[in-house]
Amino acid sequence: MTEAKEKLRIDKYLWSIRLFKTRSQAADACDNGKVKLQGNSVKASRAVNVGEEYEVKTEARKWAIQITGLLY
């Protein structure tokens, strides 16, 4: 399996797995420090990689997300 040349942004990924209703809500969560990788806040433009684990806080709950595959 070859790796895709395109990068998938964390805001787009969180929206595509439906943790947020809109991509702008996902980007706002990143901007407000509600999305973390290894305890550090990430920017909405950060590219996700398979195997990474993120902590995501939404209005409803706190999620622990592990990237097992990329969606395009």
Side-chain angles (χ1 to χ4, degrees):
M1 184 172 176
T2 60
E3 285 204 32
K5 302 225 188 296
E6 295 181 46
K7 299 289 184 184
L8 182 60
R9 294 167 50 113
I10 185 67
D11 61 339
K12 190 171 184 180
Y13 185 84
L14 294 175
W15 166 72
S16 68
I17 63 171
R18 301 302 187 248
L19 279 187
F20 296 95
K21 289 184 180 181
T22 66
R23 185 171 168 188
S24 61
Q25 286 177 335
D28 288 343
C30 293
D31 293 341
N32 293 324
K34 297 183 187 277
V35 180
K36 298 186 179 200
L37 173 65
Q38 299 175 346
N40 299 317
S41 296
V42 297
K43 294 182 179 182
S45 60
R46 187 188 193 293
V48 297
N49 297 302
V50 173
E52 292 178 332
E53 295 183 18
Y54 292 88
E55 294 176 23
V56 183
K57 289 183 184 176
T58 64
E59 290 182 17
R61 61 174 39 141
K62 184 176 179 180
W63 299 88
I65 305 292
Q66 182 174 15
I67 310 299
T68 58
L70 300 180
L71 309 167
Y72 292 100

